[in-house]
């Protein structure tokens, strides 16, 4: 990064700041402050780089300064240096150069969570559960996920060598993968619930809002209509973190009336205040619709859900959304860098703000919007809605809370690693739909025992604290009485395996499906056991309840 020189005039510095990014001259007082502080910053930066006792990396120092400035703002305003340019392609177009592996840390080791179907890693046989020990000969122990991402991604046509440990294989495996353009799909699953084309309840999973999302949803619905009569649709936006505002407008525009407002933005300057309307006739104006959301549905997902809800076009089912109601644009900066910048807030058709956290204090710490400041709004039919907490569903359906044993097994990734163990010994699935029977469940129990699995529940922590206090007070009799409590807790934990057996079967089946079947097959089988999807189907079948929920109380 080029070092600013003292001989540059304040005016030239300001012009450089605005070069290529739509600079608009601010008011005179702001303009003076900008000149003054920019000159101070430039002089300080140059002095440090040229005169400090030890050599300083100019680029690293500048990045530290940038990060410190942005830390005062909301978490969505971020700087991309030249090495991060691929992230912009991923955010906007859903594509990047790489080998198509989703990775994460499991028990501290770099593990393949899922290869993306059709990519280099998938085609060459890398599997869910594989442990990557080396990348181009460099050990992966201690590497951050950000570093791993940079090592796996790169210019299409280049290669990367992975060394992998796989359960059941006596020696490490080596894969030489050629990086290619990985194009992520917006729509990742299309089908009829229960594979029943006669009933006609369609299901679409939309995982992101990159370029072309609206067209993908339109084609998905046409695919369903070509297979049989479409009498209702479930649009699944759970875990969808959002993406392009324009893509959200396109998706909502498939369903809402022509001319209807979908979302509005309000910013600091007049050019940031705008109402986005559906400019064309909807393709599916009367199709009964249920949109699924959860706490990870954010941004563009909330735009779609908010428009559908405010216009009474369909029902929202699930749990409260994330509450990200801030709009970002990407501004190019010199030397192939860029800034993702928050410029406005967005609002649903009724005027509701979706933003759940207030960052306006600019101290790096957001504050939850208190209930006392939440305002009331009304949908087109007159239903009462409130702002400030994301999108609240019309019908709340939450996944079952895990029991203590299931939660402990999840934390230790036990289901994940047992699935590796099981598949290594059973190359063929136990049944075509990979049902977990008593034999598999007992094999899992024996596997846990062989690894000395144990866990503590909250009551044990409370008991340990009480024992410490009683010992300090020398209450011997009371300490002896606590042994009965310890014994009862031990019995309860031992019985937990039977008590939580159904939940353990579900978790095991999810992991085994990911190893035996394709992503599409896996999704089809899991939908049948998904309580949120099944509730959505019930609402689409029950036309009277569906209509009543869209009417004011």
């Amino acid at each position: 990064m080029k070092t600013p020189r003292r001989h540059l005039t304040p005016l030239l510095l300001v012009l450089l700041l605005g070069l290529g990014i739509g600079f608009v001259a601010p008011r005179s007082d702001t303009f003076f402050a900008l000149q003054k502080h920019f000159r101070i910053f430039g002089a300080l930066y140059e002095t440090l780089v040229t005169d400090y006792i030890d050599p300083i990396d100019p680029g690293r120092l500048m990045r530290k300064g940038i990060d410190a400035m942005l830390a005062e703002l909301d978490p969505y305003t971020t700087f991309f240096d030249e090495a991060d340019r691929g992230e912009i392609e991923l955010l906007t177009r859903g594509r990047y150069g790489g080998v198509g592996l989703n990775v994460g840390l499991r028990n501290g080791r770099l593990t393949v969570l899922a290869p993306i179907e059709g990519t280099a890693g998938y085609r060459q046989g890398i599997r869910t559960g594989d442990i990557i020990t080396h990348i181009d000969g460099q050990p992966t122990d201690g590497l951050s996920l950000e570093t791993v991402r940079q090592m796996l991604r790169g210019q299409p046509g280049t290669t990367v060598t992975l060394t992998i440990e796989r359960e059941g294989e006596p020696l490490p495996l080596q894969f030489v993968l050629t990086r290619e353009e990985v194009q992520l799909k917006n729509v990742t699953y299309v089908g009829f619930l229960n594979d029943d084309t006669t009933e006609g309840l369609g299901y679409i999973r939309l995982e992101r809002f990159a370029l072309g999302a609206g067209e993908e949803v339109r084609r998905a619905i046409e695919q369903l209509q070509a297979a049989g009569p479409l009498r209702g649709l479930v649009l699944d936006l759970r875990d969808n973190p959002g993406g392009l505002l324009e893509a959200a407008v396109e998706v909502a525009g498939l369903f809402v009336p022509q001319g209807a407002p979908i979302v509005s933005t309000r910013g600091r300057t007049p050019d940031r205040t705008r109402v986005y309307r559906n400019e064309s006739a909807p393709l599916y104006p009367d199709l009964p619709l249920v949109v699924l959301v959860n706490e990870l549905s954010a941004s563009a997902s909330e735009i779609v859900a908010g428009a559908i809800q405010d216009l009474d076009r369909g029902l929202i089912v699930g749990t409260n959304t994330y509450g990200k109601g801030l709009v970002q644009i990407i501004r190019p900066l010199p030397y192939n860098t860029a800034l993702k910048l928050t410029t406005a807030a967005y609002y649903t058709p009724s005027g509701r703000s979706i933003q759940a956290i207030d960052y306006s204090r600019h101290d790096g710490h957001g504050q939850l919007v208190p209930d006392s400041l939440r305002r009331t709004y009304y949908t087109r039919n007159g239903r009462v809605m409130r702002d400030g907490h994301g999108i609240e569903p019309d019908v709340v359906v939450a996944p079952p809370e895990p029991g203590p044993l299931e939660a402990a097994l999840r934390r230790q990734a036990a289901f994940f690693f047992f699935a590796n163990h099981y598949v290594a010994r059973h190359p063929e699935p136990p049944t075509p739909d990979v049902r977990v029977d008593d034999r598999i469940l007992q094999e899992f129990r024996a596997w846990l025992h062989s690894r000395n699995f144990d866990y503590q529940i909250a009551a044990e922590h409370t008991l340990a604290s009480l024992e410490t206090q009683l010992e300090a007070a020398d209450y011997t009799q009371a300490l002896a009485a606590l042994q009965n409590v310890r014994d009862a807790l031990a019995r309860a934990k031992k019985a937990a395996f039977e008590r939580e057996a159904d939940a353990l079967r579900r978790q095991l089946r999810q992991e085994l499906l990911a190893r035996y079947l394709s992503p599409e097959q896996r999704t089809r089988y899991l939908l049948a056991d998904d309580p949120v999807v099944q509730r959505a189907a019930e609402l689409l079948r029950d036309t009277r309840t569906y209509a009543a929920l869209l009417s004011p109380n």
Side-chain angles (χ1 to χ4, degrees):
M1 187 173 290
K2 191 174 180 180
T3 304
R5 306 302 300 171
R6 285 195 183 96
H7 64 262
L8 292 177
T9 66
L11 177 59
L12 181 55
L13 289 173
V14 172
L15 289 175
L16 286 174
L17 183 66
L19 183 63
I21 57 174
F23 176 74
V24 177
R27 300 191 318 269
S28 58
D29 54 345
T30 304
F31 185 78
F32 172 76
L34 183 60
Q35 291 183 64
K36 173 183 173 181
H37 295 295
F38 199 81
R39 289 189 69 181
I40 293 170
F41 182 87
L44 172 64
Y45 173 67
E46 183 179 12
T47 301
L48 287 173
V49 171
T50 58
D51 296 337
Y52 186 68
I53 184 173
D54 299 316
I56 295 177
D57 181 340
R60 185 172 182 273
L61 183 63
M62 178 59 78
R63 184 60 189 259
K64 288 283 187 180
I66 291 170
D67 290 344
M69 283 192 289
L70 299 186
E72 297 291 304
L73 308 177
D74 65 83
Y76 313 115
T77 297
T78 54
F79 174 74
F80 296 101
D81 62 24
E82 195 166 3
D84 296 326
R85 293 293 294 183
E87 286 297 299
I88 297 176
E89 282 289 293
L90 182 58
L91 284 170
T92 59
R93 299 180 180 274
R95 68 187 184 195
Y96 64 94
V99 295
L101 297 178
N102 291 326
V103 299
L105 295 178
R106 292 292 183 270
N107 284 357
R109 307 197 71 188
L110 183 64
T111 305
V112 177
L113 304 182
I116 298 173
E117 193 170 9
T119 62
Y122 183 90
R123 292 195 306 271
Q124 292 199 38
I126 293 180
R127 302 176 185 172
T128 297
D130 285 347
I131 295 172
I132 303 174
T133 61
H134 295 76
I135 301 175
D136 285 334
Q138 180 178 344
T140 57
D141 287 346
L143 294 181
S144 69
L145 290 177
E146 175 63 21
T147 300
V148 168
R149 178 187 64 79
Q150 293 176 357
M151 295 174 74
L152 292 179
R153 295 182 185 177
Q155 190 67 25
T158 59
T159 60
V160 59
T161 301
L162 305 185
T163 304
I164 279 177
E165 286 182 7
R166 177 178 294 165
E167 185 145 1
E169 295 287 346
L171 297 174
L173 305 174
Q174 197 165 82
F175 294 83
V176 180
L177 304 177
T178 300
R179 297 183 181 93
E180 58 194 7
E181 184 178 286
V182 177
Q183 180 66 61
L184 300 177
K185 297 178 181 178
N186 293 294
V187 172
T188 57
Y189 184 84
V190 185
F192 284 97
L193 295 181
N194 304 317
D195 291 330
D196 188 346
T197 57
T198 304
E199 186 178 35
L201 299 184
Y203 172 91
I204 296 173
R205 174 167 293 170
L206 182 61
E207 289 201 359
R208 59 187 54 82
F209 285 87
L211 202 65
E215 179 62 19
E216 286 186 44
V217 174
R218 185 186 64 79
R219 290 200 304 264
I221 299 178
E222 289 175 347
Q223 177 183 329
L224 291 169
Q225 289 177 320
L230 187 58
R231 297 189 172 90
L233 178 67
V234 178
L235 179 62
D236 195 344
L237 301 182
R238 290 175 297 175
D239 300 334
N240 184 325
L244 300 177
L245 183 150
E246 290 79 5
V249 172
E250 290 173 4
V251 171
L254 296 171
F255 305 102
V256 303
Q258 185 172 9
I262 293 174
V263 63
S264 62
T265 60
R266 304 174 203 166
R268 179 178 174 182
T269 57
D271 61 310
R272 297 296 169 203
T273 300
R274 178 179 172 185
V275 178
Y276 293 80
R277 298 180 180 274
N278 183 21
E279 296 181 354
S280 57
L283 295 177
Y284 314 101
D286 302 314
L287 181 67
L289 177 66
V290 173
V291 179
L292 306 186
V293 296
N294 66 3
E295 65 279 2
L296 297 180
S297 304
S299 186
S301 293
E302 295 172 294
I303 290 176
V304 172
I308 296 299
Q309 189 175 58
D310 277 8
L311 299 173
D312 295 303
R313 178 57 189 83
L315 293 174
I316 312 301
V317 173
T319 55
N320 260 53
T321 61
Y322 185 83
K324 179 184 178 296
L326 299 176
V327 181
Q328 287 76 44
I329 63 170
I330 295 176
R331 286 272 183 87
L333 298 174
Y335 297 98
N336 208 27
T337 62
L339 178 67
K340 181 160 69 74
L341 174 69
T342 299
T343 58
Y346 65 72
Y347 300 82
T348 68
S350 67
R352 285 186 289 159
S353 169
I354 296 167
Q355 184 64 21
I357 299 178
D358 180 9
Y359 294 104
S360 62
R361 298 199 322 182
H362 300 163
D363 59 359
H365 301 287
Q367 304 290 323
L368 282 172
V369 176
D371 285 342
S372 60
L373 295 182
R374 296 180 66 197
R375 291 174 293 183
T376 298
Y377 295 84
Y378 297 91
T379 70
R380 179 165 287 187
N381 287 349
R383 294 187 297 148
V384 176
M385 299 290 159
R386 300 187 73 198
D387 69 356
H389 280 194
I391 300 297
E392 296 176 325
D394 303 308
V395 178
V396 176
V397 184
E401 284 292 321
L405 174 59
E406 181 189 354
L409 291 169
R410 283 192 195 179
R411 285 194 299 272
Q412 300 187 32
F415 301 110
F416 186 94
F417 287 112
F418 173 75
N420 295 345
H421 167 85
Y422 184 87
V423 172
R425 285 152 181 77
H426 307 278
E428 297 299 321
T431 61
D433 59 352
V434 197
R435 288 289 173 183
V436 175
D437 57 18
D438 289 342
R439 180 183 55 80
I440 297 175
L441 198 61
Q442 291 310 312
E443 191 171 337
F444 177 51
R445 190 170 196 171
W447 180 83
L448 291 173
H449 182 73
S450 71
R451 281 156 177 75
N452 299 313
F453 169 78
D454 195 15
Y455 68 103
Q456 284 198 318
I457 59 178
E460 289 177 290
H461 291 288
T462 303
L463 183 62
S465 175
L466 180 59
E467 285 179 317
T468 300
Q469 295 176 51
L470 292 174
E471 286 173 356
D474 198 24
Y475 287 162
T476 308
Q477 283 187 319
L479 281 169
L482 286 183
Q483 184 60 45
N484 293 333
V485 180
R486 279 193 294 269
D487 292 343
L489 286 175
R491 289 193 298 271
K493 287 176 65 177
K494 189 174 182 179
F497 204 89
E498 286 76 21
R499 187 170 59 251
E500 299 183 29
D502 288 344
L504 304 186
R505 290 179 201 272
R506 285 195 297 271
Q507 292 294 328
L508 288 170
R509 187 175 184 232
Q510 286 184 26
E511 293 294 347
L512 292 174
L513 281 167
R515 288 155 181 77
Y516 282 124
L517 303 181
S518 70
E520 183 173 347
Q521 291 172 311
R522 174 176 178 263
T523 299
R524 186 169 73 249
Y525 284 128
L526 289 177
L527 288 178
D529 295 328
D530 188 326
V532 185
V533 172
Q534 294 309 310
R535 179 62 177 134
E538 291 172 5
L539 290 168
L540 289 172
R541 294 185 189 108
D542 186 350
T543 56
R544 181 173 297 180
T545 299
Y546 178 92
L549 287 168
L550 289 172
S551 301
N553 295 331

